[in-house]
Amino acid sequence: GAGVSQTPSNKVTEKGKYVELRCDPISGHTALYWYRQSLGQGPEFLIYFQGTGAADDSGLPNDRFFAVRPEGSVSTLKIQRTERGDSAVYLCASSGTGYTGELFFGEGSRLTVL
Amino acid sequence: KQEVTQIPAALSVPEGENLVLNCSFTDSAIYNLQWFRQDPGKGLTSLLLIQSSQREQTSGRLNASLDKSSGRSTLYIAASQPGDSATYLCAVGSSNTGKLIFGQGTTLQVKP
């Protein structure tokens, strides 16, 4: 695609429910990143994929958060037993092979946990 | 642990003014530093990328400088326009993986 696509753009759920957020990176980009941005804050790193494998998942806050990228393209961020504190904008970014430093971000998925 | 701070948190200026946004970081062992722009409800757009070996980068009315020894970067915007109104984020990369540490951002308002 022309840019990084994220769905849904908005998700409202109840505490305790399961949520999946999807990211479709720029075609051909091998690296994919998930960040989380709370209101008034800068984005915080969650996880980074190089191809199909998670190269660095040190930013995942706890074991309720999990992400996959089974075919090295689309990625899904999965949140179990959602809590109100999970409410944030979840941003996805991708970059091409031979990392140049430039990340291309999607517009994010805004998650609200009631 | 790397920490990135941006001051001020918000800034309001009249159109046409030149302005400087500040970014400081605690660990000088960085791989690169990037400035992003974020419009309300939108994702991030990369403005300028400075590699650790560089001192500055320029794009149009924007100029970003990097001083690793003092742990500082500045984003200079010349002849500001209302269309420049947005939040500007500074982010530090400590390796060649795209894992970035962001500041909290400076929200800029340029008044006509």
Side-chain angles (χ1 to χ4, degrees):
Chain A
V4 177
S5 176
Q6 291 189 246
T7 55
S9 56
N10 279 285
K11 176 70 176 179
V12 180
T13 191
E14 293 180 344
K15 178 182 173 182
K17 298 291 187 182
Y18 170 79
V19 167
E20 288 190 353
L21 307 175
R22 174 189 168 108
C23 173
D24 198 344
I26 292 173
S27 178
H29 278 191
T30 57
L32 185 145
Y33 312 81
W34 284 99
Y35 284 80
R36 177 169 73 172
Q37 186 174 26
S38 300
L39 190 63
Q41 304 294 315
E44 295 180 307
F45 171 81
L46 295 177
I47 186 170
Y48 151 59
F49 288 89
Q50 184 61 255
T52 60
D56 184 345
D57 64 358
S58 61
L60 295 177
N62 51 60
D63 61 5
R64 295 186 298 106
F65 289 75
F66 189 72
V68 296
R69 195 186 184 199
E71 298 179 357
S73 178
V74 171
S75 175
T76 304
L77 178 66
K78 306 181 180 188
I79 310 173
Q80 298 178 321
R81 303 183 304 280
T82 52
E83 300 177 356
R84 292 192 178 89
D86 298 335
S87 296
V89 176
Y90 289 82
L91 295 165
C92 179
S94 68
S95 66
T97 56
Y99 175 66
T100 62
E102 187 169 19
L103 298 189
F104 297 86
F105 279 84
E107 295 201 344
S109 292
R110 180 177 298 278
L111 174 65
T112 302
V113 182
L114 301 177
Chain B
K1 178 185 175 183
Q2 179 74 270
E3 293 182 1
V4 181
T5 303
Q6 292 185 248
I7 295 174
L11 182 63
S12 181
V13 301
E15 182 177 5
E17 192 164 297
N18 301 325
L19 58 101
V20 173
L21 306 181
N22 296 295
C23 172
S24 61
F25 48 94
T26 55
D27 186 346
S28 62
I30 67 172
Y31 184 79
N32 58 28
L33 184 144
Q34 300 184 59
W35 284 92
F36 292 89
R37 170 183 172 140
Q38 186 173 33
D39 292 286
K42 301 293 185 181
L44 280 64
T45 300
S46 179
L47 296 174
L48 290 165
L49 167 65
I50 311 177
Q51 302 294 349
S52 62
S53 59
Q54 299 174 323
R55 295 299 298 266
E56 66 176 346
Q57 283 287 340
T58 298
S59 176
R61 294 182 293 109
L62 305 179
N63 175 276
S65 68
L66 173 63
D67 184 343
K68 284 198 307 178
S69 62
S70 65
R72 294 181 182 179
S73 176
T74 60
L75 178 66
Y76 175 82
I77 302 177
S80 57
Q81 303 171 357
D84 295 331
S85 299
T87 296
Y88 291 81
L89 292 154
C90 167
V92 170
S94 57
S95 66
N96 64 342
T97 63
K99 179 179 178 180
L100 302 176
I101 306 297
F102 283 83
Q104 291 185 325
T106 294
T107 298
L108 171 66
Q109 181 183 30
V110 181
K111 297 180 178 179

